Amino acid sequence: MNTLRLLKSRRLLSGLQASILAAGIFGVCWLTIRAEREMREELLGRAKLAANALTIERVRALTGSAADLESADYRQLKEQFAAIRASQPDCRYLYLMGRKADGTLFFLVDSEPADSKDYSPPGQVYEEASAEDRHVFEAKIASVVGPASDRWGTWISALAPLTDPQSDAVLAVLGMDIDARDWKWHVAARAALPAGVTLLMMIGLLTALFAAEQVSASPKPVMRRLLPFLAVMLLALVVGSALLLWRQHYNRVIGSTALASGTVAQDLKTVLEQQVRGLAMATQPIARDAGV
């Protein structure tokens, strides 16, 4: 009777251990998927902020041809793109895409210097454009696409449309590219803290069940061997999670500050240009007055 009861107890404990292990694996997978979803939302928000920092009049003035190289609007957008890209440590490319009447996508301006091998001159056709890239022009909805590969590499890309406030037509789409390999590491880093806590709890439960399953009268020798290992794991988890949280917070603050500074500087420059035009118009009647 005691033997049968012991067998049932062991089967129950084994089933419980398997359930905890399966739940732990499922929990880690779910946390990883959730971390990537949150990162895509954050990337999309950064792309929208960058798009909002652009002056629509300058974008409207672009022709997508070699003539833009002599345009002051193109040069100012080029400088602005380089500044925004420099403020985003994980961003590799920042660019504007236009669309021709036949649906072909092409580059209007990018963040690369003119002497870079990855530089895209105005009017360069984007031959690797996907259906998702074209969908942003059609649906006028920002989205994150990828991983997708082109001649420059494999990327996770946030795409934010810029619409004309008068006609509501899409003038261009701003793209922000993140290297897919770096993206995977960032996802792993984001999921490391909650996944580590889940694994630690799972190990603790399995340890307790393993100790209870022992036929020995006292499980103290087993616990004595496992406690140092669990203590080291807990210490590493706490230190690692603190460093990860600090780094993530630092990157968010730097990115938000840079975008806010760029927006304020752009708004100030626009206001100054408007005041200059107003003063120029005001001085014309004075200049024509012979008495003055």
Side-chain angles (χ1 to χ4, degrees):
M1 188 69 178
N2 292 334
T3 303
L4 182 60
R5 185 177 301 174
L6 182 60
L7 287 174
K8 290 183 179 179
S9 177
R10 286 183 176 179
R11 289 176 182 175
L12 179 62
L13 289 174
S14 298
L16 189 56
Q17 290 174 353
S19 300
I20 292 174
L21 182 60
I25 294 174
F26 174 80
V28 171
C29 293
W30 179 80
L31 289 170
T32 303
I33 294 173
R34 178 183 177 185
E36 182 167 10
R37 184 172 64 248
E38 291 176 350
M39 286 181 57
R40 286 178 177 262
E41 292 176 356
E42 291 177 6
L43 179 61
L44 189 61
R46 288 157 55 190
K48 289 180 179 179
L49 283 175
N52 292 335
L54 303 181
T55 303
I56 294 295
E57 287 73 17
R58 289 203 178 103
V59 177
R60 190 187 292 117
L62 299 177
T63 63
S65 65
D68 286 340
L69 298 175
E70 306 299 327
S71 168
D73 294 312
Y74 174 83
R75 291 194 295 269
Q76 290 173 348
L77 285 171
K78 187 84 173 174
E79 294 174 358
Q80 189 174 4
F81 271 47
I84 295 176
R85 183 254 183 261
S87 69
Q88 306 289 326
D90 57 342
C91 175
R92 180 59 188 89
Y93 296 112
L94 190 70
Y95 50 89
L96 273 183
M97 290 190 299
R99 185 176 64 167
K100 298 180 180 180
D102 61 359
T104 303
L105 302 189
F106 62 94
F107 293 105
L108 291 165
V109 60
D110 71 353
S111 58
E112 292 296 295
D115 57 352
S116 171
K117 64 181 179 62
D118 298 321
Y119 165 68
S120 295
Q124 181 183 24
V125 175
Y126 185 31
E127 299 175 355
E128 298 89 345
S130 64
E132 293 175 316
D133 298 329
R134 294 184 175 88
H135 180 71
V136 176
F137 281 91
E138 298 167 358
K140 305 177 184 179
I141 299 176
S143 64
V144 178
V145 301
S149 299
D150 55 25
R151 74 193 78 172
W152 294 279
T154 304
W155 315 99
I156 301 291
S157 304
L159 304 174
L162 284 80
T163 57
D164 190 327
Q166 299 176 356
S167 63
D168 198 37
V170 177
L171 297 174
V173 168
L174 180 141
M176 181 179 290
D177 287 352
I178 309 295
D179 192 299
R181 291 171 297 182
D182 296 338
W183 179 268
K184 292 178 181 178
W185 283 109
H186 292 160
V187 171
R190 178 71 65 88
L193 176 60
V197 173
T198 301
L199 289 174
L200 189 63
M201 293 176 60
M202 184 185 70
I203 291 173
L205 288 173
L206 289 175
T207 302
L209 292 174
F210 177 77
E213 192 180 5
Q214 302 303 307
V215 293
S216 172
S218 176
K220 291 183 179 179
V222 176
M223 295 300 295
R224 192 177 297 115
R225 290 194 297 268
L226 289 176
L227 281 177
F229 175 72
L230 293 175
V232 171
M233 282 190 60
L234 180 60
L235 180 62
L237 179 64
V238 171
V239 174
S241 60
L243 291 175
L244 286 173
L245 288 174
W246 175 83
R247 185 62 184 177
Q248 291 171 2
H249 176 70
Y250 175 79
N251 289 338
R252 290 196 193 102
V253 170
I254 292 297
S256 300
T257 303
L259 281 176
S261 300
T263 303
V264 171
Q266 186 62 40
D267 291 343
L268 176 61
K269 194 170 185 178
T270 302
V271 171
L272 290 176
E273 289 174 353
Q274 293 174 350
Q275 291 181 352
V276 167
R277 288 194 293 268
L279 288 174
M281 295 176 61
T283 56
Q284 290 177 3
I286 298 175
R288 287 195 297 264
D289 192 328
V292 175

